[in-house]
Amino acid sequence: MPTKLSRRDFVRLCAGSAAAISLSGFLVPFIKEAAAAGGPPVIWIQGGSCTGCSISILNTVHPDIEKVITEVIGLHYHPNLSAGAGSLVIDEMYRVAAENSKKFYLVVEGAVPVADDGAYCIIGERNGHHLTFVQAVKELGSQAAGILNFGTCSAYGGFPATPPNPTECKPVKEIVKNVPIVNVPGCPPHPDWMVGTIAHVVLYNELPELDAFGRPTMFFDKIIHDNCQRRQYFDNAIFAKNFGEPGCMLELGCKGPFAHCDSTTRLWNGGTNWCVKAGGVCIGCTEPQFPAWPIYERLPEMPVAPGITATVDQIGGVLAAAAVVGIGGHLAGNIYTGRIGSKKNQDMKEGDE
Amino acid sequence: MKVVLMDDRHSVWIRIFHWINMVAIMLLIFTGFYIHAPQSFPLFGNMDGARMVHFAMAYVLCFGVVLRVYYAIAAKDAHNIVFNPKKDIPNLPSMMKYYLFMSNSHPDYGKYNPGQKAMYTGWLFMALIQIVTGFILYKPQVAFWANLGDYLGGDIAIRLVHLIVTWLFVLTVLAHVYLDVSEGVPVLKSMFTGKIPRDFHGDQSADKSA
């Protein structure tokens, strides 16, 4: 029995611990049991999105994606992962939904375009007619036990719903009412957030605890800025002026001070890195108004004339300079007319003021 | 030596609230600009201290505003400083003429002229805007503030409003300090002593006292 750990053993131990700490990986055996005992089926539909959320979930490490779809969840439909295609799988999707009414969970990825009866997003064919995304969300969503919005688009509108928004994209909560909704925002969301949320609903058959914006508190109760590796730079007033410099990236437009998620501690790509550690700014992708702000600037600029914008500080500085000039002019007038200065006392008697 | 008759102008409470709010607002403006853009406004050594002062002064301003409003109601001081459109708008032209040197005198407006009333009433609303937007930015983990912030357009919009109103404070404080000091040193002094020479405002007040 060796008393010393070899390097190899040590690395293996560390990897094992990481797997144990990662919530979703730790839960696999329990979820497997729950799924075997008839856990709720899951249907994943995709609309006004870039498929980034699906790509992100493929990147899940503990457990890996193969385990997720074969053992963790009964995934009955996914536009990219389903082997079949066409009306075959669409019909199957509706059959599963009807058979498991109020028992299955609907995962929605992407915003819902509603302009022209949803004609701008057709996800398949049903009974010889186009099946629009808005129709699918309405019909399946109203039968679901709960809707899991994966990604900022389905949760809050995200990129597709940003003006000018010609297809009138809307978040799912404006399409389906009276069905419990869990928002897992992010652009894309971390695979652990998605797998962890699915694992939670499959294992406990109830929704996780949510914050004010419908996000599971287990992943979204922390502010990026509070746990950022560069936080000490902020407290010590060391600020980066350019990318690649050490220092807090506040003035480069980092939105960490109001963005909620646990990327700082969870890290991406299997615990390798995350946005700020990679030298980028936080863009606040988990917030309801994302992406309604400039990514590399502290604050949006204000319009001052058609086609011309300026920062609030520039406008304020110009106005303050104008005020100082105005004060100087008025002061000169005051002295000239004798309201202040040596002439004042004589003039007072003549009924001034 | 000539005896100068003095009239009471500012009660001790008005003076206390004035200077409390003045200190709070000045510190909030300076720390606020530092927090907003520490490189463009390098006024403090570190963010920790600036933020602590900012949050402490935010609470001081909250109490200052609440107490000042309470005083205005309880001591029936409100009619002196609240802008009353019906009464004050007709007085604006004569005041503007006086400020633009188009006339040498202006009628007696009471304690403050309509411009001052408009500015002081505006400050109440500006302070309330700053308090509400400030708490939204300060307490994002409290559901009430988070929901209110979302309803009002999100944190970036809130931040923008907070900054714009800060600039309004800067501009109005500049005007306030200049106009009061240029009116005469006794006006500035009265905010410390509470008293102002009886004949300072000319004939009108003398007529009233006669």
Side-chain angles (χ1 to χ4, degrees):
Chain A
M1 194 73 187
T3 49
K4 275 187 188 168
L5 277 173
S6 73
R7 187 179 172 280
R8 201 183 179 79
D9 288 337
F10 179 70
V11 170
R12 193 182 293 158
L13 191 68
C14 289
S17 313
I21 290 163
S22 173
L23 168 98
S24 38
F26 182 64
L27 286 175
V28 167
F30 303 102
I31 300 164
K32 214 168 148 184
E33 255 172 54
V42 173
I43 292 172
W44 182 310
I45 54 175
Q46 225 179 53
S49 81
C50 65
T51 320
C53 307
S54 290
I55 301 298
S56 179
I57 202 170
L58 295 181
N59 202 16
T60 182
V61 174
H62 302 292
D64 63 32
I65 184 63
E66 185 204 336
K67 234 181 202 166
V68 170
I69 54 177
T70 55
E71 293 177 13
V72 177
I73 54 175
L75 187 62
H76 285 261
Y77 175 77
H78 186 293
N80 308 124
L81 299 178
S82 291
S87 60
L88 193 68
V89 282
I90 298 283
D91 289 341
E92 167 69 6
M93 174 172 84
Y94 271 89
R95 188 189 61 78
V96 170
E99 278 177 11
N100 296 282
S101 187
K102 291 293 161 197
K103 274 192 284 188
F104 77 100
Y105 285 89
L106 180 71
V107 171
V108 183
E109 176 185 351
V112 189
V114 298
D116 299 333
D117 295 326
Y120 298 114
C121 190
I122 290 161
I123 61 169
E125 248 181 38
R126 181 164 153 74
N127 302 333
H129 294 287
H130 291 317
L131 175 62
T132 62
F133 188 54
V134 58
Q135 197 186 340
V137 170
K138 265 186 196 157
E139 289 170 3
L140 297 172
S142 56
Q143 297 177 55
I147 298 178
L148 312 179
N149 287 328
F150 283 0
T152 303
C153 300
S154 53
Y156 309 123
F159 277 97
T162 300
N165 191 6
T167 57
E168 289 171 38
C169 282
K170 289 194 181 332
V172 171
K173 65 169 182 275
E174 289 181 27
I175 306 294
V176 185
K177 319 258 173 176
N178 307 324
V179 175
I181 285 180
V182 181
N183 293 330
V184 185
C187 198
H190 193 290
D192 282 5
W193 305 340
M194 293 186 276
V195 176
T197 304
I198 292 186
H200 190 284
V201 296
V202 171
L203 188 58
Y204 301 112
N205 207 5
E206 62 175 27
L207 302 185
E209 191 191 339
L210 304 176
D211 73 1
F213 303 124
R215 301 175 291 203
T217 51
M218 56 182 167
F219 303 120
F220 295 98
D221 67 338
K222 297 190 186 82
I223 288 177
I224 289 285
H225 190 53
D226 290 345
N227 296 290
C228 181
Q229 288 92 339
R230 298 196 183 211
R231 173 61 189 238
Q232 197 59 43
Y233 286 128
F234 172 82
D235 290 335
N236 294 352
I238 300 166
F239 293 93
K241 277 187 192 136
N242 299 296
F243 286 101
E245 286 179 4
C248 172
M249 292 188 284
L250 192 75
E251 293 221 11
L252 294 174
C254 184
K255 305 298 182 292
F258 65 78
H260 292 73
C261 73
D262 61 2
S263 281
T264 48
T265 47
R266 184 170 298 278
L267 305 183
W268 284 67
N269 297 331
T272 309
N273 210 341
W274 73 287
C275 320
V276 169
K277 207 177 160 193
V281 294
C282 170
I283 60 175
C285 69
T286 58
E287 296 310 295
Q289 291 81 22
F290 179 79
W293 41 73
I295 284 174
Y296 296 118
E297 271 162 43
R298 184 99 164 82
L299 283 173
E301 300 196 338
M302 307 293 291
V304 286
I308 303 173
T309 58
T311 66
V312 173
D313 290 331
Q314 285 165 345
I315 297 169
V318 168
L319 288 178
V324 170
V325 169
I327 285 171
H330 198 263
L331 184 66
N334 263 340
I335 294 168
Y336 179 74
T337 56
R339 281 186 196 171
I340 49 177
S342 53
K343 278 196 274 176
K344 180 165 179 129
N345 290 337
Q346 302 154 27
D347 288 356
M348 282 291 281
K349 286 191 187 113
E350 287 161 24
D352 192 13
E353 297 248 68
Chain B
M1 198 180 154
K2 204 176 90 179
V3 179
V4 181
L5 283 174
M6 301 294 266
D7 276 337
D8 286 336
R9 182 164 169 84
H10 302 299
S11 77
V12 64
W13 291 112
I14 290 182
R15 282 175 275 152
I16 289 173
F17 296 143
H18 175 269
W19 292 112
I20 286 180
N21 287 338
M22 175 264 185
V23 169
I25 289 171
M26 292 318 286
L27 284 172
L28 281 166
I29 287 174
F30 288 129
T31 53
F33 274 115
Y34 179 75
I35 293 165
H36 158 60
Q39 294 205 308
S40 314
F41 302 94
L43 302 163
F44 293 84
N46 64 66
M47 197 54 94
D48 237 7
R51 291 174 78 235
M52 205 197 285
V53 171
H54 197 79
F55 301 148
M57 286 303 129
Y59 281 108
V60 171
L61 182 68
C62 290
F63 288 114
V65 167
V66 169
L67 291 173
R68 186 66 183 83
V69 169
Y70 171 76
Y71 178 85
I73 296 165
K76 298 193 168 45
D77 174 47
H79 70 277
N80 280 331
I81 53 170
V82 174
F83 186 82
N84 178 347
K86 240 185 221 163
K87 223 178 69 193
D88 290 320
I89 287 179
N91 282 333
L92 279 172
S94 64
M95 183 199 80
M96 286 316 294
K97 273 185 182 167
Y98 174 74
Y99 277 132
L100 295 175
F101 307 107
M102 288 159 74
S103 70
N104 281 326
S105 61
H106 60 78
D108 181 17
Y109 300 120
K111 191 175 177 184
Y112 296 119
N113 71 39
Q116 288 172 304
K117 284 188 194 173
M119 189 188 276
Y120 304 155
T121 311
W123 277 345
L124 171 63
F125 288 104
M126 280 155 64
L128 292 176
I129 291 171
Q130 291 302 71
I131 289 168
V132 170
T133 54
F135 270 102
I136 290 169
L137 296 172
Y138 179 41
K139 294 278 183 200
Q141 68 274 38
V142 176
F144 172 76
W145 296 116
N147 284 321
L148 187 61
D150 185 49
Y151 178 74
L152 296 174
D155 284 343
I156 286 283
I158 297 291
R159 233 189 224 177
L160 210 54
V161 170
H162 203 70
L163 179 63
I164 290 169
V165 177
T166 303
W167 271 109
L168 284 180
F169 264 110
V170 171
L171 298 173
T172 49
V173 165
L174 275 177
H176 171 67
V177 171
Y178 165 72
L179 288 174
D180 278 19
V181 174
S182 72
E183 191 76 358
V185 174
V187 174
L188 178 64
K189 240 179 170 175
S190 71
M191 198 37 96
F192 290 98
T193 63
K195 295 191 191 316
I196 197 156
R198 175 158 297 179
D199 62 353
F200 183 76
H201 276 292
D203 298 327
Q204 292 94 348
S205 49
D207 283 347
K208 256 189 275 169
S209 58

